[in-house]
Amino acid sequence: MSTNATEEREQVAARLRGAGLKVTESRLAVFDAFRPGEHLDADDVFTRVAGPLPTTSRQAVYGVLGALAEAGLLRKIEPAGSPALYETRVGDNHHHLVCTGCGKVFDVGCVVGEAACLTPSETHGFSIATAEVTFWGLCPECSASGALS
């Protein structure tokens, strides 16, 4: 393992400990499955984890993803018509662009210019913490290929 990879693993291990979670090979492998900016479903993560951990199961991956999301170490998003997706970008209130052609998901910063409907007309007593905005449309590749939205 390279020095950089070892340092990254130590950072992940420190984040796990900081969240009150045990450092396990399964949890480290799930983190290793992600590359910056990716949005993966549980099957994608399982496929990537199965190589380094051939004895793991889909159920174990689901359990790790759930624990990491609950601890705030992964963010879970659920675009309509798609399985739940997970990403490592946490701690900010960014939004998402979803391609209606191919399903790719991209991060986008908060809305600029004219404000979107981020304040509900009625809170029903809720103390609002975040608002989730999803933009739907065609990515450049699907637009160029003439895919239908």
Side-chain angles (χ1 to χ4, degrees):
M1 191 177 293
S2 72
T3 303
N4 208 18
T6 301
E7 289 173 6
E8 286 177 20
R9 272 211 155 194
E10 283 304 315
Q11 289 173 355
V12 170
R15 289 178 65 200
L16 288 167
R17 285 188 211 94
L21 296 174
K22 287 184 180 180
V23 178
T24 66
E25 282 304 312
S26 296
R27 289 176 177 156
L28 292 171
V30 166
F31 264 108
D32 288 345
F34 287 88
R35 288 162 195 73
E38 284 189 319
H39 302 82
L40 303 176
D41 67 27
D43 287 338
D44 293 332
V45 174
F46 173 74
T47 298
R48 291 184 182 180
V49 168
L53 291 178
T55 59
T56 197
S57 67
R58 273 187 169 64
Q59 188 59 41
V61 168
Y62 275 101
V64 169
L65 288 169
L68 295 176
E70 187 174 315
L73 299 175
L74 289 179
R75 182 175 178 184
K76 179 181 179 180
I77 64 169
E78 300 180 76
S82 168
L85 300 174
Y86 298 85
E87 64 180 324
T88 56
R89 184 175 171 182
V90 296
D92 68 351
N93 192 27
H94 71 279
H95 307 301
H96 296 95
L97 300 167
V98 179
C99 180
T100 55
C102 66
K104 288 180 189 171
V105 178
F106 299 91
D107 291 334
V108 64
C110 282
V111 177
V112 295
E114 207 170 306
C117 295
L118 297 179
T119 304
S121 60
E122 174 59 49
T123 66
H124 297 279
F126 279 66
S127 175
I128 306 296
T130 61
E132 189 171 304
V133 176
T134 304
F135 298 94
W136 298 87
L138 292 175
C139 70
E141 292 83 13
C142 289
S143 289
S145 72
L148 300 176
S149 60

